[in-house]
Amino acid sequence: MVERHRSEEFLALLDRVAEGTEPGTPVHVILDNVSSHESVEVSRWLKERRDWTFHFAPASAFRINAVEVFFSKLSRQRLKQAIFNSLDECVAATEGCAERRNAIDARPFRWSRKPDDFVEAWKKGRRKLKESAS
């Protein structure tokens, strides 16, 4: 866990992932629209790795972002109205909640649709949007 979430920390994470990835392997990273994901340094890092592609989730689509769903649940179930006497207590409570969730709820996610299905659905939606706008 890192205390700050700047480009520097994000790049350190990307470097760790890149170290464990076979060269030439296509990597697709789905991100939310946080400024640290779109900095000049991150753009430079990405340009040097042609096999990597960043996909940004729409700002209005927080419900499909698994991280946002997790933090919403964490906030409601553990942090809301909690009183912590130190940052260490807060971190311990957060980590304990995550560990319990992983022990009870965690399971692999398996895509049931092919990427082409999503592309076609997106194209169909765009066509309908254009038709309704004209």
Side-chain angles (χ1 to χ4, degrees):
M1 182 182 295
V2 295
E3 287 186 30
R4 306 211 39 206
H5 298 277
R6 302 168 298 180
S7 296
E8 182 179 333
E9 289 81 12
F10 182 54
L11 286 168
L13 172 66
L14 291 174
D15 285 337
R16 285 186 63 196
V17 173
E19 285 173 12
T21 304
E22 189 73 31
T25 302
V27 178
H28 294 268
V29 183
I30 301 170
L31 300 165
D32 56 3
N33 293 293
V34 176
S35 61
S36 61
H37 296 162
E38 301 181 73
S39 70
V40 172
E41 296 84 5
V42 171
S43 295
R44 195 175 305 130
W45 186 96
L46 185 60
K47 281 183 183 175
E48 294 173 4
R49 289 155 184 85
R50 294 286 179 205
D51 295 326
W52 286 62
T53 305
F54 285 1
H55 305 276
F56 290 91
S60 61
F62 65 91
R63 284 188 176 84
I64 64 169
N65 183 337
V67 173
E68 293 291 341
V69 172
F70 169 76
F71 280 114
S72 173
K73 195 172 189 179
L74 171 70
S75 178
R76 286 190 320 273
Q77 293 179 352
R78 184 61 185 102
L79 303 178
K80 193 173 187 177
Q81 299 179 2
I83 297 172
F84 302 107
N85 294 314
S86 69
L87 178 59
D88 289 339
E89 278 186 23
C90 181
V91 169
T94 302
E95 289 176 346
C97 188
E99 288 170 10
R100 282 189 299 283
R101 184 197 177 281
N102 286 339
I104 296 167
D105 294 335
R107 60 191 174 279
F109 180 84
R110 306 234 188 269
W111 286 104
S112 59
R113 295 176 67 186
K114 294 184 171 81
D116 289 343
D117 296 337
F118 290 102
V119 172
E120 282 306 311
W122 180 81
K123 286 179 180 176
K124 182 179 178 181
R126 294 281 293 172
R127 280 192 304 272
K128 286 188 177 199
L129 217 92
K130 286 182 180 179
E131 288 171 8
S132 68
S134 55

